[in-house]
């Protein structure tokens, strides 16, 4: 996100996409057939938006999976929906507002969009009547998870985050500008999102995302949520792929230093999409941490 050279921006997207009451429940429940166990797919009204989610499993410990930029619960977490222990866990994977099937509304990016996602995510799980949850957040979803854990500490049991950052640097900003024009993406990176969104919505939303994330570059220290990290109280596992070309190691180290009691697990061969590329290893790591 002869063979042409791969631009770092294209690489980012290829990694991001590589797999491909207010409690009124909308009557869209159905059973998906993509997974070995039936996955409920439904929408529920939260904060004025019908949020789409997948749900599987019957365990006492409830997990919410939070996807990355332009991603959805199903596209970003298929191996987790399929293979996390269904007896021990109830697994929910959501589409944030404006992404996937949580449309309308169209996705927009006011300065508080991560806080809004955190409020929506917690609101969704409360509407589904879960009393306490753990969070698994990837990339943008990891940022949302950090904010949710800081703002709703009694509701979050444990948290696993990877590919997340609490601030952006000038280097990050240059990378984001490099992916603004989706027509320059590789076909492999572009096609799955075109299929999901249609080209026009996909292209427009990517441009909006670049502008939205770059807002933080103009804040002191490029701050996204670094000021909230001391408020996180839940046990936190930070996973970092040592070959991640998108999120340098210093971001993981910063989270480790500033989230009290957190611990860092390094995956030597992991890249940005380590939970997809090394799904079995990742799932076992998560299950062990959450027990």
């Amino acid at each position: 996100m002869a063979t042409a050279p791969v631009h770092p921006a294209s690489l980012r997207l290829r990694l991001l996409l590589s797999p491909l009451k207010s409690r009124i429940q909308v009557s869209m429940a159905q059973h998906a057939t993509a997974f070995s166990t039936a996955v409920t797919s439904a929408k529920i009204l939260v904060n004025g938006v019908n949020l789409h989610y997948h749900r599987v499993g019957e365990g006492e410990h409830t997990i919410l999976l939070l996807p990355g930029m332009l991603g959805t619960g199903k596209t970003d977490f298929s191996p987790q929906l399929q293979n996390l222990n269904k007896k021990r866990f109830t697994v929910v994977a959501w589409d944030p507002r404006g992404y996937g099937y949580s449309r309308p509304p169209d996705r927009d990016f006011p300065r508080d969009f991560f806080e809004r996602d955190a409020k929506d995510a917690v609101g969704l799980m409360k509407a589904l009547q879960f009393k306490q949850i753990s969070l698994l957040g990837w990339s943008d979803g990891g940022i949302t998870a950090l904010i949710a854990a800081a703002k709703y500490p009694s509701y979050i049991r444990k948290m696993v985050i990877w590919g997340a950052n609490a601030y952006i640097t000038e280097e990050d900003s240059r990378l984001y500008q490099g992916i603004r024009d989706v027509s320059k993406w590789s076909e492999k990176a572009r096609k799955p999102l075109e299929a999901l969104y249609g080209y026009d919505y996909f292209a427009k939303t990517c441009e909006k995302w670049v502008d939205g994330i770059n807002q933080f570059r103009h804040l002191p220290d490029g701050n996204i949520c670094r000021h909230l990290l001391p408020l996180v109280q839940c046990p936190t596992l930070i996973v970092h792929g040592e070959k991640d070309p998108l999120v340098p190691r210093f971001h993981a180290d910063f989270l480790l230093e500033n989230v009290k009691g957190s611990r860092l697990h390094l995956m030597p061969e992991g890249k940005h999409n380590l939970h997809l590329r090394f799904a079995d290893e990742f799932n076992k790591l998560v299950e062990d941490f959450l027990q």
Side-chain angles (χ1 to χ4, degrees), residues 122-256:
V122 170
L124 166 69
M125 300 305 278
K126 289 186 174 181
L128 294 175
Q129 301 185 344
F130 294 114
K131 299 192 181 303
Q132 195 177 39
I133 64 172
S134 290
L135 303 174
L136 267 64
W138 176 38
S139 200
D140 272 17
I143 299 171
T144 301
L146 285 164
I147 294 170
K151 293 198 166 187
Y152 307 91
S154 65
Y155 194 63
I156 307 306
R157 184 170 171 179
K158 292 187 176 184
M159 175 169 60
V160 182
I161 54 174
W162 65 106
N165 47 302
Y167 60 94
I168 67 170
T169 65
E170 195 171 325
E171 178 184 355
D172 296 324
S173 187
R174 285 195 300 270
L175 180 61
Y176 302 148
Q177 290 294 345
I179 65 171
R180 174 184 292 276
D181 184 355
V182 301
S183 71
K184 296 179 180 178
W185 292 12
S186 69
E187 183 176 1
K188 184 177 179 181
R190 190 175 65 247
K191 287 298 182 183
L193 289 184
E194 283 189 41
L196 177 62
Y197 291 114
Y199 182 84
D200 289 344
Y201 185 83
F202 162 43
K204 177 180 70 174
T205 305
C206 182
E207 291 182 356
K208 288 181 177 180
W209 180 86
V210 171
D211 291 337
I213 198 73
N214 275 325
Q215 293 176 94
F216 301 105
R217 183 71 188 94
H218 304 296
L219 298 180
D221 300 316
N223 180 43
I224 300 174
C225 64
R226 57 192 297 160
H227 62 295
L228 295 175
L229 300 184
L231 302 179
V232 176
Q233 298 179 19
C234 64
T236 300
L237 175 64
I238 303 155
V239 185
H240 182 72
E242 294 196 87
K243 294 186 177 180
D244 189 336
L246 310 175
V247 180
R249 168 71 181 271
F250 64 78
H251 281 301
D253 290 337
F254 182 85
L255 294 175
L256 178 66

Side-chain angles (χ1 to χ4, degrees), residues 29-44:
Q30 59 184 354
H31 288 288
T33 58
F35 310 113
S36 57
T37 302
V39 178
T40 300
S41 175
K43 286 188 177 184
I44 192 167

